Structures are given as structure tokens and as C-alpha cells.
Amino acid sequence: MLSFFNTIAAVLTCSPDLVVENDYGNTTAVVSFIGASAFDNSGDTLSVTCDPPSNSTFPEGETAVTCSATDGSGNVGTCNFTITVQDSIPPVVSCPADIVVEYDYGNTSAMVEFSGESVTDNSGAILSVTCDPPSNSTFWDGEHVVTCSATDGAGNTGTCNFTITVQDTTRPVLTCPANMTVEYDDGNTTAVVEFGGESATDNSGETILVTCSPPSNSTFSSGNNVVTCSGSDTSGNTGSCNFTIDVHDTQKPDVTCPTDITVEYDYGNSTAVVEFSGESATDNSGEILTVTCDLPSNSTFSDGVNVVTCSATDASSNTGTCNFTITVQDTQEPLVQCPSDITVEYDYGNTTAVVEFSGESVTDNSGEILSVTCDPPSNSTFADGETVVTCTATDTSGNVGTCNFTITVQDTTNPVVTCPADITVEYDYGNTTAVVEFSGESVTDNSGEILSVTCDPPSNSTFGDGENVVTCSATDAAGNVGTCNFTITVQGIITSTQ
């Protein structure tokens, strides 16, 4: 019996070669492909596998892909194709917007600084941009194309262009004389006017000729006359300026104001009604003019400096003015009334006194209700002797009124001296006198001081026959003296009565 073996491999047809760009921001690419199809003599449908498989990441350059299929007899068919990963996309270069500049002053060229050129690339690389000519180059009169370029790592070069146009469109800057106001020439309603000072400067640095119409020393008619001065540079730019020559009566009346006035508040107000007079006016026309003041006499003027403007206008509508000030102020101090002077005794046991007082008051020309403060205040402790109390009040204008009174703390109370009881003694043996010892005298004082008592005659003195008055006394620190008396009676034998 004969056996037949299939030795014919499947026939594979691969995808055509692929060329792809780098994935954005990378030098590789993830590539999806169909791969290959397989035909086998067995008629079986075969599975095709490729190495590397579809959706793999392929490096930059050429990579061979091999696809294969195996039939049921173990015959393997293969095919190959290439995937080329490349960067053929040039960088995208962005240029600044077109630039139009004026000449540098005094030149027909300009040094131009520009910026803002930028570049992005599909590789994600950070590239530098160079421009030709570069920023800060000198560009001459006219239009100049600047080309900016950048090259990526694959050698792709991107470019952009912009133009720098250097031109002179700046007109000369003309300076005219100031506007002029002149009086009529004597006996005319016109005036011959001489003027000068017109000038021109130009960005080109040229010297520009200035002409004026009408020229200096022309005869100008009554009213406003417009003079136009002009000058042109070599680029054809013309600059001009105008000024006016006003021919008429421009002399203002001479107005005289009253002298500045300073007044106090009206009582009970922070304003004042002020009457004034003496404003007057004279004019070159000889007219008799009326003077009016914007705050008339007998107006109410507010606190502070009030500027009064007085004016007079002649027939040519020339107005003369003067100013003076009316200052309404409060320089009057509040009127502070103090209590009467106070004299008090020491607080018991002290050489000071807590003193309560009242009755201080204040009135002010402003009519304000003010408060009074006293130093030291009521219910303070006052030392021995005279203390000056100052009471003050301040109005809203900062005027301070004061008054003073004195609080005198003193000690006029005599010490209280207590004497021993009266004593009766017999003669000393063989005498008609007696040496008598006594004690018990004492003293208290409102100051709380500890005082000593002296008696006259003192204890242990010799007392004569009969009644002897002994006076005991004590003096405090304020010099107040307290006394008491008792008697010592010296006599013969004392008999007792039943």
C-alpha cells in the first residue's frame, strides 16, 4: 500500500512595505498593519502570525517584519516586509508679525529689535530659531525680508519670513510762536505785528526751512488772525503749526479789592455775616465800570479762609479781577469758671485729704457744649498745703480755656490733751512744801501723730503750800497746741471725816 505525505508549505502574501512618521513627540511609532494572508494546497484556513506583531512600537529606521503560517502537515510558509519609521516633517517656525519702523533719529536707517519667533517640532525636541538678519541689526530705508529657520535632529528644516520696512512718514515737528494779543496801532483798527521763534525739527536730522503766511511784519486786521507756518523734509513729509494774532483791546480793567479781613464767629455760630466795601475799578477806556464780587458784602462766610473775587468788564469784554480773603475764625478761648478756693482739714489720721468739688462750668462763643476737665480731678487725694487745680475746656477750633483754684489741706485742730485728776498731798516731813510725782497725762491728734506731753511744773517738782495749777501741753507738726490743767494742793495734815 502506498502512503502520500504533504510537503508543500502554505503560500503567504505579506503587506507591502510601510513608511510611517514618528509618533508626535517621539522618535518611535506604534504601527498597526494587516500582516499577511495564507493559501494552502490543503484548502485549510490557516492562522498567520507576524513578528513583531501589529501595534508594536517600532524604532526609527527600517524594521523587518516576518509573517508565518503552519499547515496541518507541519509545513511552514513565510513572507517578509519592512516598516520604516522616519521623521520627514520639518519644524513649524512662527515669525513675528511684519514690522514697520521709522528712521532712527538723524538717520535713513533703523536698528530694529524684534522677538517672538518660535518653533515646534513633531519630535518634541526643543529647537532654537535663528533669523537672518538677526534682531538688533541695522535696516536701511525700504522693505527687508527676514528669514527665520530651525532644523530638527532628522535634518528637516522649517522656515518663515516676515518683513521689516524702514520708512520716513514722520512729518517735521513745527513749533509756532505763542498766540499773540496786541493792541490796535494808534488811530487804527489794525496792527503791524512782528513775530519770530518759529522752528522745525525732523527725525531725519535735516535742517528744515520754515515759512509763515502771513509773514512777520504784516498788517493784521481787527480780531483773530490765523498764521500758518509750514516746512517739508526731503521725503515729502510736511509739518505745520498755527498760531493766532488777536488784534483788539486786551487791556483789562484795573480792579482794586478791599484789604484782607479776619473776623470772629458770630456768637453761637461757626460762620459770620461780614460787611465790606471799598472795591473799585479803572479802565484804559475811561469807562465808569461796575464792580461785582462773587460773595457780596453781608454774605454769610463759613469757617476758614474764604476767597472773594471782585471783577469788572469793559465794553471790549475784557474782565479784570482781584481777590481778597475773609477769614472766619475762632480765636476766643472758652470761658471756664472754677469753684471757689477750698480749705479743708486733714482726713482723720492722715496729713492728706480726699476732696470732692463741683461747680466748674464753661461757655464758648461758638455755642458748643463743651466738657471741663480738672487736674487733679474731684475726689483726688490732696497733700498737705496748697494745691493748684487747673480746669480746662477745648473747643473744636483748638482754643483752650483754663481757670485755677486752690485746695488748701491744713491742720488747724489742736491736739486733745488729757490731764491727771486733781491731786491733794500733805507737806513733806518738816516742810510746808511737797515733792509730787504724777503721771497719766496723754494726747491724741487728728493727724494720727504720736505726740509728747509736757507739763509745767513737771512731775517730781516741789510744790508750795496751797493750790498749784499744773498745765500740760502738746504741739502737733502743724504747730497746733492743745493744753489741759489740773491742780496739786499741798496742805497740812489731812483729816478724814467720818
Side-chain angles (χ1 to χ4, degrees):
M1 182 176 176
L2 296 174
S3 297
F4 295 96
F5 295 96
N6 181 17
T7 61
I8 299 173
V11 177
L12 271 72
T13 302
C14 275
S15 298
D17 292 342
L18 296 174
V19 177
V20 296
E21 290 291 317
N22 293 345
D23 288 344
Y24 189 81
N26 293 281
T27 56
T28 61
V30 175
V31 183
S32 173
F33 54 82
I34 295 173
S37 60
F39 173 76
D40 191 59
N41 63 336
S42 67
D44 294 333
T45 300
L46 304 181
S47 171
V48 179
T49 59
C50 296
D51 181 30
S54 177
N55 290 312
S56 295
T57 298
F58 289 81
E60 188 173 42
E62 250 184 36
T63 301
V65 179
T66 301
C67 296
S68 62
T70 304
D71 63 17
S73 299
N75 301 304
V76 178
T78 63
C79 69
N80 298 299
F81 69 99
T82 60
I83 292 177
T84 303
V85 177
Q86 63 181 16
D87 178 10
S88 63
I89 299 174
V92 177
V93 183
S94 296
C95 278
D98 292 342
I99 299 172
V100 177
V101 296
E102 291 290 312
Y103 291 168
D104 287 344
Y105 190 82
N107 292 282
T108 56
S109 61
M111 179 178 287
V112 182
E113 179 183 6
F114 58 83
S115 62
E117 57 275 18
S118 62
V119 59
T120 59
D121 190 58
N122 65 319
S123 67
I126 296 174
L127 305 179
S128 61
V129 182
T130 57
C131 296
D132 181 31
S135 179
N136 289 310
S137 296
T138 297
F139 294 82
W140 296 100
D141 179 59
E143 196 173 272
H144 305 270
V145 177
V146 180
T147 300
C148 297
S149 61
T151 303
D152 64 18
N156 301 303
T157 299
T159 63
C160 65
N161 299 306
F162 70 102
T163 59
I164 293 178
T165 303
V166 178
Q167 60 185 12
D168 179 12
T169 61
T170 302
R171 297 176 179 178
V173 177
L174 269 75
T175 303
C176 276
N179 293 337
M180 301 175 68
T181 300
V182 296
E183 295 292 316
Y184 295 157
D185 289 343
D186 191 48
N188 292 281
T189 58
T190 60
V192 174
V193 182
E194 179 182 6
F195 59 83
E198 59 275 16
S199 63
T201 58
D202 191 60
N203 64 324
S204 67
E206 297 173 49
T207 300
I208 307 295
L209 176 66
V210 180
T211 58
C212 296
S213 176
S216 179
N217 289 308
S218 296
T219 298
F220 291 84
S221 60
S222 173
N224 270 327
N225 300 268
V226 177
V227 180
T228 300
C229 298
S230 62
S232 299
D233 61 20
T234 54
S235 296
N237 300 304
T238 300
S240 65
C241 64
N242 299 307
F243 70 101
T244 59
I245 295 177
D246 189 6
V247 178
H248 68 175
D249 175 12
T250 61
Q251 291 189 35
K252 297 176 180 179
D254 183 13
V255 183
T256 302
C257 277
T259 57
D260 292 342
I261 299 171
T262 300
V263 296
E264 290 288 318
Y265 290 168
D266 288 346
Y267 190 81
N269 293 282
S270 57
T271 59
V273 175
V274 183
E275 179 182 6
F276 59 84
S277 62
E279 59 276 17
S280 62
T282 58
D283 190 61
N284 63 325
S285 66
E287 296 174 58
I288 297 174
L289 304 180
T290 300
V291 180
T292 58
C293 298
D294 61 354
L295 290 168
S297 178
N298 289 309
S299 295
T300 298
F301 292 83
S302 60
D303 177 57
V305 177
N306 300 267
V307 177
V308 180
T309 300
C310 298
S311 61
T313 303
D314 64 18
S316 297
S317 298
N318 300 305
T319 300
T321 63
C322 65
N323 298 307
F324 70 102
T325 60
I326 294 179
T327 302
V328 177
Q329 62 184 13
D330 178 11
T331 61
Q332 292 187 30
E333 298 172 354
L335 178 60
V336 184
Q337 298 287 336
C338 278
S340 300
D341 292 343
I342 299 171
T343 300
V344 296
E345 290 289 313
Y346 290 167
D347 288 345
Y348 190 80
N350 292 281
T351 58
T352 61
V354 174
V355 181
E356 179 181 8
F357 58 83
S358 62
E360 58 275 18
S361 62
V362 59
T363 57
D364 191 60
N365 65 320
S366 68
E368 297 174 54
I369 298 175
L370 306 179
S371 60
V372 182
T373 57
C374 297
D375 182 30
S378 178
N379 289 308
S380 296
T381 298
F382 290 81
D384 178 57
E386 276 190 3
T387 300
V388 176
V389 179
T390 300
C391 297
T392 62
T394 305
D395 62 22
T396 53
S397 298
N399 301 305
V400 179
T402 63
C403 66
N404 300 305
F405 69 101
T406 58
I407 293 179
T408 303
V409 177
Q410 62 184 11
D411 180 9
T412 60
T413 302
N414 294 331
V416 176
V417 182
T418 302
C419 279
D422 292 342
I423 300 171
T424 301
V425 296
E426 291 194 3
Y427 296 158
D428 288 344
Y429 186 78
N431 291 282
T432 59
T433 62
V435 174
V436 182
E437 178 181 8
F438 57 84
S439 62
E441 60 275 20
S442 62
V443 61
T444 59
D445 192 60
N446 66 321
S447 67
E449 296 175 58
I450 298 174
L451 306 178
S452 60
V453 181
T454 57
C455 295
D456 182 31
S459 177
N460 289 308
S461 295
T462 299
F463 290 85
D465 178 55
E467 281 190 357
N468 299 269
V469 177
V470 179
T471 301
C472 296
S473 64
T475 304
D476 62 20
N480 300 304
V481 178
T483 63
C484 66
N485 299 303
F486 70 100
T487 59
I488 295 177
T489 303
V490 178
Q491 62 183 23
I493 295 173
I494 301 171
T495 57
S496 61
T497 59
Q498 295 290 328

